[in-house]
């Protein structure tokens, strides 16, 4: 069991575009996936990407059966997604207060498309091809951004809706925008 340290905003590694995986069944990729799951579960997360633990490869994991934090959210299958691509399927955007383990203590409102088509391969090299909506779509977009070297503060359009969680808490409660920890 290996829990890796999580890099935080400001670390230059987080600004790099991660590289494609050449061989998804290589032992070092299996080890990376194991480390990602150990680290995600230890931090009670629902998604994690390789660059978050300092490996700039295009590998992400996400999913949950039932989340204490999001009791009404539809389950998202536990997924290992390698070399993903995303296609936006709607112009409908939804606002959410996002938080990220790489940007601890801060929250900001990020609007994202509510419906996407994503593709990639799993840890056996088998294709993954899905349509995702709402929370599932947001989760994949947030993790995908990590592979591109983009953190959620770069997606905030109104910087007045960004701040330390304890300071913006009144706004979070009153403006009725859902909260997501990704
Ligand atoms: Ni994140």
């Amino acid at each position: 069991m290996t829990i890796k340290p999580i890099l935080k905003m400001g670390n230059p590694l987080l600004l790099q575009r991660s590289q494609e995986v050449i061989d998804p069944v290589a032992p070092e990729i299996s080890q990376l996936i194991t480390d990602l799951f150990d680290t995600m579960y230890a931090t009670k997360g629902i998604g994690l990407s390789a660059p978050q633990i300092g490996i700039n490869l295009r590998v992400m994991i996400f999913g949950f059966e039932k989340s204490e934090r999001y009791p009404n959210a539809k389950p998202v299958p536990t997924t290992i997604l390698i070399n993903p691509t995303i296609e936006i399927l709607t112009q409908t955007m939804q606002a959410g207060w996002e938080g990220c383990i790489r940007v601890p203590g801060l929250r900001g409102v990020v609007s994202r498309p509510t419906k996407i088509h994503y593709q990639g391969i799993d840890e056996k090299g088998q294709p993954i091809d899905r349509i995702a909506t709402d929370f599932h779509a947001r989760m994949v977009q947030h993790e995908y951004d990590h592979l591109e070297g983009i953190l959620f503060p770069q997606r905030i359009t109104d910087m007045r809706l960004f701040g330390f969680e304890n300071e913006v808490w009144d706004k979070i409660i009153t403006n009725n925008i859902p909260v997501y920890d990704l």
Side-chain angles (χ1 to χ4, degrees), residues 94-99 108-112 138 152 161 177-180:
Q94 199 201 20
W97 281 100
E98 284 195 17
V109 172
V110 178
S111 287
R112 296 194 188 266
R138 178 179 294 270
F152 82 81
L161 299 176
I177 293 174
V179 174
Y180 301 98

Side-chain angles (χ1 to χ4, degrees), residues 32-174:
L32 168 61
I33 291 166
T34 304
D35 291 347
L36 282 170
F37 276 108
D38 287 349
T39 306
M40 183 174 83
Y41 291 137
T43 54
K44 296 190 169 29
I46 52 176
L48 195 65
S49 54
Q52 257 162 305
I53 58 170
I55 307 289
N56 281 102
L57 287 172
R58 298 179 83 77
V59 179
M60 60 162 89
I61 62 169
F62 54 85
F64 61 91
E65 264 302 304
K66 187 137 184 65
S67 169
E68 274 172 44
R69 199 176 253 278
Y70 309 104
N72 300 320
K74 268 192 293 182
V76 174
T78 299
T79 303
I80 298 159
L81 185 62
I82 299 172
N83 298 345
T85 59
I86 291 184
E87 183 191 354
I88 305 297
L89 295 183
T90 179
Q91 293 187 345
T92 305
M93 308 281 276
Q94 199 201 20
W97 281 100
E98 284 195 17
C100 174
I101 198 165
R102 288 168 160 192
V103 191
L106 289 165
R107 275 191 191 283
V109 172
V110 178
S111 287
R112 296 194 188 266
T114 56
K115 190 173 184 186
I116 62 168
H117 173 207
Y118 68 90
Q119 293 175 283
I121 51 174
D122 68 10
E123 77 286 4
K124 299 188 186 87
Q126 299 297 312
I128 291 175
D129 188 330
R130 289 183 190 150
I131 306 285
T133 57
D134 304 318
F135 189 17
H136 186 173
R138 178 179 294 270
M139 191 184 295
V140 174
Q141 290 174 78
H142 178 106
E143 294 305 329
Y144 183 85
D145 274 353
H146 283 318
L147 303 183
E148 292 293 303
I150 296 169
L151 297 175
F152 82 81
Q154 292 164 259
R155 296 275 186 206
I156 297 170
T157 50
D158 182 351
M159 291 305 282
R160 291 171 300 180
L161 299 176
F162 181 45
F164 288 97
E165 188 169 52
N166 54 331
E167 300 288 350
V168 295
W169 197 249
D170 287 348
K171 278 189 212 171
I172 290 176
I173 292 169
T174 54

